[in-house]
Amino acid sequence: MKRGIRLNRLISSINKNKTGMLIMVFSALASAFGQYFWKLAGTNNLLLLLVGFALYGIGALCMITAFRFGSFSVLHPMQTLGYVFALFIGLFFLNEALTPQKAIGVMFILFGVAMIGVGDE
């Protein structure tokens, strides 16, 4: 009986925050790519620097918007997905290494986001 109640609460929490969660994931992705473009810009490429600022700004606006569609305590921790996106951007676009420590760290972040994301009642 308790398992059915927990499952219903989980589904209810996801349904309540679904739109905000999707917007927050996009926010984290845009912010991570904004930082990537800042790195590419270095000190001499104004266009890439401006693209980075635009993406970072879009990420901030999306984060603000996301809070209208769910619980703050569920949505705000999802911004840590930016670390996960940054790791993959580093791997695929900057040829950075994936160490065991980074992989474990990403797993902890994803587990934490999942636990918080489904904890709203």
Side-chain angles (χ1 to χ4, degrees):
M1 188 69 149
K2 288 184 180 183
R3 184 174 285 177
I5 293 171
R6 287 185 202 149
L7 184 60
N8 287 340
R9 286 182 180 170
L10 169 71
I11 292 168
S12 174
S13 176
I14 291 171
N15 286 334
K16 176 183 174 187
N17 295 291
K18 181 174 29 182
T19 302
M21 289 172 147
L22 291 172
I23 295 170
M24 192 59 82
V25 169
F26 181 77
S27 169
L29 186 63
S31 297
F33 267 105
Q35 293 169 12
Y36 167 69
F37 277 96
W38 288 344
K39 179 167 178 62
L40 290 182
T43 58
N44 60 355
N45 194 323
L46 184 59
L47 178 62
L48 291 179
L49 187 66
L50 292 174
V51 169
F53 275 116
L55 286 169
Y56 200 79
I58 289 168
L61 291 173
C62 287
M63 180 177 62
I64 292 165
T65 302
F67 293 140
R68 296 178 63 204
F69 296 99
S71 300
F72 183 79
S73 62
V74 171
L75 298 177
H76 195 275
M78 292 187 72
Q79 194 64 23
T80 61
L81 292 174
Y83 297 120
V84 177
F85 294 137
L87 180 120
F88 285 108
I89 289 169
L91 267 170
F92 294 113
F93 297 111
L94 299 171
N95 296 317
E96 294 179 355
L98 176 61
T99 63
Q101 293 88 352
K102 288 179 185 178
I104 292 169
V106 164
M107 286 188 276
F108 276 120
I109 290 170
L110 292 173
F111 179 74
V113 167
M115 292 296 96
I116 291 170
V118 299
D120 192 29
E121 294 181 346

